[in-house]
Amino acid sequence: QVQLVESGGGGVQAGGSLRLSCAASGTIFSINVMGWYRQAPGKQRELVAQITSGGSTNYANSVKDRFTISRDNARNTVYLQMNSLKPEDTAVYYCNAGLRLGYKGNYWGQGTQVTVSS
């Protein structure tokens, strides 16, 4: 089993920045990809960004050039730097871990709220 714990959510005005962190523990050897999904009220959960242990990345078009995902393999931690935030970025952000880039992993964090006000 893998446990994921997120931190760093909160409220910010449009144009501002936030940084999310997700620390993994447990059977770390069983995962290759770590990433972030988000779910806004009334909408389906959607991919934000993913990164492999080797550094390959996958971003949603809506966040390219604004968000940057990074990973510290020694700390088993993934980060999401979010810049130029927009009200439509408001959602619960979930950390996710799995095996394949482009696919949802089996492990989820509890979620952290990001609220962007106009």
Side-chain angles (χ1 to χ4, degrees):
Q1 289 292 327
V2 174
Q3 294 78 43
L4 303 173
V5 179
E6 301 112 331
S7 60
V12 66
Q13 289 193 326
S17 299
L18 283 174
R19 188 192 195 208
L20 305 182
S21 300
C22 172
S25 61
T27 53
I28 306 300
F29 60 85
S30 66
I31 61 174
N32 173 39
V33 178
M34 295 184 72
W36 296 91
Y37 286 73
R38 67 186 181 187
Q39 188 166 19
K43 294 188 176 182
Q44 289 189 336
R45 194 171 297 190
E46 62 177 6
L47 170 72
V48 178
Q50 295 175 307
I51 186 168
T52 69
S53 56
S56 297
T57 58
N58 179 33
Y59 288 94
N61 288 333
S62 60
V63 306
K64 280 182 180 177
D65 301 324
R66 298 189 299 123
F67 292 9
T68 302
I69 191 168
S70 61
R71 181 169 175 171
D72 184 337
N73 289 325
R75 297 177 183 268
N76 299 316
T77 300
V78 65
Y79 305 96
L80 185 68
Q81 178 65 43
M82 304 185 292
N83 298 328
S84 303
L85 282 160
K86 304 175 181 180
E88 51 263 43
D89 294 318
T90 295
V92 178
Y93 283 68
Y94 294 92
C95 185
N96 178 257
L99 290 175
R100 299 179 64 187
L101 197 65
Y103 293 83
K104 291 179 186 176
N106 291 330
Y107 304 104
W108 293 94
Q110 79 283 0
T112 185
Q113 177 71 45
V114 171
T115 302
V116 184
S117 57
S118 57

